[in-house]
Amino acid sequence: MSRVLSIMGYEFTVLAIPFVFAIGCLLVLGYFLYQLRDERIARALLVWMLPFLIWSIAVISRLSATTVDVEILWHRIRFLGPSVSAVGYILIAAAYTSRDNWYQPTYLVGVSVIPVITNLLVWTNPLHQLVGEYSKSTGGGPFVATFEPGPWFVVHGVYSYLLIAVGTYWLIRKFFRLHKRGLYRVQVTTILVAMIATMASNFLHNIGLTTIDWTPVGGAVSATVIVVAMFQYRLLDVSPVARDIAVENMDSGMIVIDEDERLADVNDRAETLLETDLNTAVGEQMSEIAATREQLLQQIRTAESNTTVSVEHDDETYHYDVTVSRITDATDEAIGRVVVFSDMSQEIRQRRRLETQTQELQRKNQRLEQFASVVSHDLRNPLSIAQNYLDFARETNDEEDFVAVEEAHERMDTLLDEILTMARVETTVEEPESVQLAAIADESWQTLETDDAVFENDVPPEAAVDGDPSLIRILFQNLFRNAINHNDGSVTIRAGVVDSDDGFFVEDDGVGIPENMRKAVFQYGKTSRGESIGIGLAIVKELVIAHGWEISATEAQDGGARFEITTVSS
């Protein structure tokens, strides 16, 4: 052994040089970790590294000691190293695998019981020899004293290795889970290899394969590797923090994007929603990643705040609720973002269905009110007229009075037909079929008493719409009847398709509709002539709405009334 410096009972040896470097590394690393002390895993690393600092100082002092008593003193101080570093190890594993309960006071106290007892027994060892026995070395070597382990040393060793085994098991599980998913494998591998290498050097010393305990040197090297990896592979930020943010949204898709716009993490639900395997794309630029649902991925790439997006896929519209959460480090520097997205298509479709049903219910209620009005008022008027003229006819036996009674009955019959028609109109045509407009217009005309009116059918034979044939027939009949009833003498009625081919029209060459009445004529009870209460056009409006079409009243080329129904040709 080469001792090169002697100071107050210590002779410095070159064997201590690696431990001096270990102390320097640990001090520098400790400074950097202290800046990140708000991070749980950084605090755990500090708890793990501090014992190695004490351990290194103790080994240097043991190697340099020239008396048995001095070496025994430092050997006792050395016990702080292995007893506390094992606790730090399991805290690192707990932090990285998101086992927050291990940071509760109950767990921290529980895991520290054996180390505290160990160090108490170390300093009271002369009284009971439970930790071990010391004697002067007679075989040469780097130390002047020897140590024979006692029963509590075995307990201390087993407990320390048990903590290491549990922490290693957690990390291995994390490794295989992330290895299977392709996520930040280097992170877990770095921690795992560094920790195992450190503890292996301690194990080799404890079983007698090495005289000097090189564990603190191995710990300093491992700590250096881990801290470098923290910055190189972002151990403290994006992946496990991102998973903690998304833990309450596991039914949603989750994509983690780092500050360099690289894919950092992705869950299974995100792959399902995007219909793409993204595991192999981790670490790639988001702009270079392709997905089956490219529009959705593009929305995720550019999402900066919470929003709802709609995308087209396979001729269908899908709606997604997108939530963006920023990730920052201990210095509040942005290091990435978590994008959580959920398929809201079904909920939105149900909401729209409910809104449609509500509107249909309101229309039905409005129609019931109209029925009540017809029965209570409009039907009562011709009934009263018929009753009055019938009384006159009995007294005078005048033929004109009987004619008035007959006309009143005819009006009541017309009203009843219109009421039945309104009752037949569904709020929505559920099963439309292709209807040839020219043919059904001719059929509708032939069923009416047209008097002197003339019908010109200019609808092309191939023109067709999707709808209910019986309701479209009633629509034409009411438009034809409206033209006949609202014009004196002969009137010419013409049907055709609009210039844009997205609908059809019915017009006449009669007196027309005043411009200020063109919207009101579709309301129930509105009419420009006194002999009609205006149910016909109200029925037409209901029929048009039931098909999802639109209707408007305007002026025909000849100055008469023109009704345009806007729809889509099949």
Side-chain angles (χ1 to χ4, degrees):
M1 180 176 63
S2 177
R3 296 181 181 268
V4 296
L5 182 64
S6 178
I7 301 176
M8 298 179 61
Y10 294 92
E11 293 183 1
F12 185 77
T13 171
V14 293
L15 293 176
I17 292 176
F19 295 94
V20 173
F21 281 110
I23 291 172
C25 289
L26 291 169
L27 288 174
V28 172
L29 297 175
Y31 172 79
F32 282 109
L33 286 175
Y34 185 76
Q35 309 306 311
L36 301 173
R37 60 189 178 278
D38 290 338
E39 298 284 354
R40 178 172 290 175
I41 194 171
R43 296 197 299 272
L45 281 167
L46 282 171
V47 173
W48 180 65
M49 286 169 47
L50 180 60
F52 288 126
L53 181 62
I54 299 172
W55 202 340
S56 296
I57 295 172
V59 173
I60 291 174
S61 300
R62 284 190 64 206
L63 287 170
S64 304
T66 58
T67 65
V68 173
D69 289 340
V70 171
E71 184 176 336
I72 291 174
L73 170 66
W74 285 107
H75 190 269
R76 289 171 178 168
I77 295 174
R78 163 209 173 273
F79 270 93
L80 283 170
S83 60
V84 179
S85 66
V87 175
Y89 181 88
I90 199 167
L91 291 179
I92 292 172
Y96 198 74
T97 56
S98 302
R99 300 176 189 275
D100 297 339
N101 55 319
W102 279 80
Y103 284 82
Q104 296 176 1
T106 303
Y107 279 78
L108 291 174
V109 171
V111 79
S112 302
V113 169
I114 297 298
V116 170
I117 294 175
T118 296
N119 284 278
L120 288 174
L121 291 177
V122 164
W123 291 100
T124 60
N125 188 64
L127 301 176
H128 45 69
Q129 305 295 316
L130 290 174
V131 178
E133 295 184 10
Y134 294 96
S135 62
K136 185 176 181 179
S137 176
T138 58
F143 301 112
V144 296
T146 59
F147 173 74
E148 291 296 328
W152 187 261
F153 184 88
V154 176
V155 174
H156 151 71
V158 170
Y159 180 73
S160 297
Y161 287 130
L162 178 62
L163 292 182
I164 294 168
V166 171
T168 303
Y169 170 72
W170 292 345
L171 290 171
I172 289 174
R173 284 191 60 188
K174 182 80 170 180
F175 171 81
F176 282 110
R177 184 162 65 252
L178 297 186
H179 184 274
K180 181 179 179 182
R181 294 181 46 77
L183 303 176
Y184 279 74
R185 295 184 293 268
V186 177
Q187 289 187 357
V188 188
T189 304
T190 300
I191 293 179
L192 198 56
V193 171
M195 295 297 190
I196 291 176
T198 301
M199 298 311 161
S201 62
N202 179 258
F203 180 75
L204 293 176
H205 171 70
N206 285 336
I207 64 175
L209 292 183
T210 60
T211 303
I212 299 175
D213 186 357
W214 297 101
T215 306
V217 176
V221 173
S222 297
T224 303
V225 172
I226 292 174
V227 173
V228 170
M230 284 167 49
F231 296 95
Q232 180 68 29
Y233 302 114
R234 316 188 70 81
L235 282 175
L236 296 185
D237 44 49
V238 177
S239 186
V241 177
R243 288 195 170 274
D244 291 339
I245 292 175
V247 71
E248 296 180 1
N249 300 281
M250 295 312 294
D251 290 336
S252 304
M254 181 201 75
I255 285 183
V256 184
I257 304 171
D258 68 16
E259 61 181 345
D260 297 321
E261 292 301 312
R262 297 175 303 185
L263 177 62
D265 202 354
V266 60
N267 69 352
D268 291 335
R269 181 60 177 160
E271 293 181 312
T272 300
L273 292 174
L274 291 167
E275 297 183 3
T276 302
D277 181 7
L278 295 177
N279 283 329
T280 56
V282 171
E284 295 183 9
Q285 291 290 321
M286 289 295 297
S287 59
E288 299 176 357
I289 299 174
T292 301
R293 299 203 173 192
E294 183 61 33
Q295 283 187 341
L296 175 57
L297 184 59
Q298 176 62 24
Q299 295 284 356
I300 293 170
R301 289 190 192 108
T302 58
E304 296 292 336
S305 59
N306 300 346
T307 184
T308 299
V309 300
S310 300
V311 298
E312 299 291 331
H313 184 71
D314 291 341
D315 298 326
E316 191 170 352
T317 302
Y318 293 85
H319 307 276
Y320 298 90
D321 184 36
V322 179
T323 302
V324 180
S325 301
R326 296 289 170 183
I327 311 172
T328 57
D329 60 15
T331 62
D332 204 31
E333 180 184 356
I335 57 176
R337 63 187 184 274
V338 181
V339 183
V340 178
F341 54 104
S342 306
D343 188 352
M344 304 297 292
S345 305
Q346 188 66 24
E347 289 83 347
I348 291 177
R349 292 190 191 105
Q350 290 176 348
R351 190 184 310 136
R352 290 177 178 174
R353 235 182 340 256
L354 181 60
E355 291 173 354
T356 301
Q357 292 171 352
T358 302
Q359 293 173 356
E360 291 178 353
L361 182 60
Q362 290 174 346
R363 288 180 56 204
K364 287 181 179 179
N365 290 337
Q366 183 180 12
R367 191 181 302 160
L368 286 174
E369 293 175 1
Q370 294 171 355
F371 289 161
S373 176
V374 171
V375 173
S376 64
H377 180 267
D378 299 323
L379 194 57
R380 182 178 298 171
N381 285 343
L383 182 61
S384 299
I385 293 172
Q387 184 64 47
N388 291 334
Y389 277 104
L390 182 59
D391 292 340
F392 293 152
R394 286 172 177 168
E395 293 178 1
T396 63
N397 204 26
D398 189 338
E399 182 65 26
E400 290 184 0
D401 292 334
F402 286 106
V403 171
V405 171
E406 183 179 4
E407 289 177 349
H409 284 140
E410 289 176 353
R411 181 62 191 141
M412 285 188 287
D413 184 59
T414 300
L415 281 172
L416 289 173
D417 287 341
E418 290 177 335
I419 291 172
L420 290 174
T421 299
M422 291 184 69
R424 287 187 56 204
V425 178
E426 295 294 335
T427 54
T428 304
V429 176
E430 298 293 343
E431 298 181 358
E433 57 184 86
S434 182
V435 179
Q436 301 297 318
L437 285 174
I440 204 163
D442 284 332
E443 294 174 11
S444 303
W445 179 260
Q446 293 169 6
T447 61
L448 298 177
E449 294 182 6
T450 57
D451 298 330
D452 296 329
V454 176
F455 177 54
E456 297 179 357
N457 191 348
D458 293 338
V459 179
E462 69 278 3
V465 293
D466 291 332
D468 185 320
S470 62
L471 297 184
I472 295 176
R473 186 179 295 108
I474 296 172
L475 184 151
F476 273 114
Q477 289 172 346
N478 278 272
L479 289 175
F480 294 157
R481 189 181 293 113
N482 179 77
I484 294 170
N485 293 339
H486 286 75
N487 292 285
D488 296 325
S490 177
V491 62
T492 299
I493 303 170
R494 188 168 70 92
V497 296
V498 295
D499 294 338
S500 59
D501 291 334
D502 60 355
F504 58 95
F505 67 86
V506 173
E507 65 179 14
D508 62 63
D509 60 356
V511 297
I513 303 172
E515 187 172 355
N516 63 345
M517 289 289 294
R518 288 175 185 170
K519 291 184 178 180
V521 292
F522 297 109
Q523 299 176 14
Y524 172 78
K526 296 293 183 179
T527 180
S528 59
R529 300 186 59 155
E531 67 272 12
S532 172
I533 66 167
I535 289 182
L537 290 181
I539 292 175
V540 170
K541 179 77 171 184
E542 292 286 339
L543 293 168
V544 168
I545 293 176
H547 283 84
W549 303 338
E550 295 179 356
I551 187 170
S552 61
T554 183
E555 184 178 6
Q557 293 180 354
D558 298 329
R562 176 184 172 102
F563 297 94
E564 292 186 355
I565 292 90
T566 304
T567 180
V568 179
S569 300
S570 62

